[in-house]
Amino acid sequence: MSIRNAILCAVLVGFNLMASSAFAESSVWKVSKGENYFYLGGTIHLLSAADHPLPDEFNLAYNDAGKIFFETDLAATKTPEFQSKFIAAMMYSDDRTLQSELDPAIYRKLESFMTSRHMPIAQFSKFQPWGVSMMIVLFEYQRLGMMPNYGVDAYFNSLAVSDNKIIMSLETPDEQINFLRSMAKIDQDIGVEYTLRDLKRLPEFIDSMKQNWRSGDLEALAESIFVAQMQREFPELYDSIVTSRNNAWMRQLPRLTDDSEREFVLVGAMHLYGKEGLLNQLALQGFSVEQL
């Protein structure tokens, strides 16, 4: 199990796509300036076997590209060193415990849910609340058949390795740990309570999430109540997970058209749409952005 995908899975609960659009085509865009261009694809990090084959546009972009960019180095996130570092980041290093830091009523709700999923809460006694939230989200996605090894990122990473394509990343695994640490900024009780609430609604959203990702309807993402809720109630978290990372990536992406090489950049679909989204930022810098 890739720890990187476990991290991103925690974010997915809040970023489900909800409506469909008759005008959308795919979640892949061709970004051009003059005769040079690269591809930008929005991904879902966890899918099921039934979601394959992936939309043809992804394969078109992959076959045309010599370099494949991912959010981070997927191989590095599988090393024991990184996994140990990430687990340590989720846990308390002092005398605090999960139970001591949560309101008793919230702790009982969490314990009840974990018992229903055969997850002894005692095994997570030294985890910080955001770490427990992340883990139960991951397990719930798995329970519903959504696995990281079927995700868009994992699929193309494996394909690129076998095809000997150049693999690049937009940020380091350590940077991803730091981004996820921002989850600790949320009120711990509110964070756990919201996670438990959203998990109850998760099954009903998975099908529409996949449908809208396949059709490239990213406007639905911007209008989602989940995104609006995060922007309104947890602005620091939204800035850390979405806006700040987009801005950092925009220091790299415009340079991809400096030569005639073709690249395929794969990032979570939530990073593409909206005022702070990569597509809008690229358009504002004079790039032609064409949906495949």
Side-chain angles (χ1 to χ4, degrees), residues 8 70-73 169-176 179 245-246 248-249 252:
L8 290 168
F70 298 97
E71 291 182 17
T72 196
D73 184 342
S169 56
L170 296 172
E171 59 196 21
T172 68
D174 284 346
E175 286 177 317
Q176 291 215 325
F179 293 134
R245 296 170 71 199
N246 287 357
W249 296 345
Q252 304 178 58

Side-chain angles (χ1 to χ4, degrees), residues 12-61:
L12 289 177
V13 165
F15 290 93
N16 291 294
L17 307 181
M18 296 183 64
S20 61
S21 167
F23 302 102
E25 298 174 1
S26 77
S27 288
V28 181
W29 281 258
K30 183 178 180 181
V31 181
S32 309
K33 182 162 283 189
E35 295 183 356
N36 298 333
Y37 62 89
F38 65 93
Y39 297 98
L40 183 57
T43 73
I44 294 180
H45 302 297
L46 295 93
L47 289 171
S48 67
D51 296 313
H52 289 256
L54 299 175
D56 290 341
E57 291 83 359
F58 280 88
N59 292 314
L60 183 155

Side-chain angles (χ1 to χ4, degrees), residues 61-82:
Y62 173 82
N63 291 329
D64 192 34
K67 292 182 180 179
I68 312 298
F69 280 76
F70 298 97
E71 291 182 17
T72 196
D73 184 342
L74 298 183
T77 63
K78 297 178 182 178
T79 64
E81 293 79 12
F82 175 79

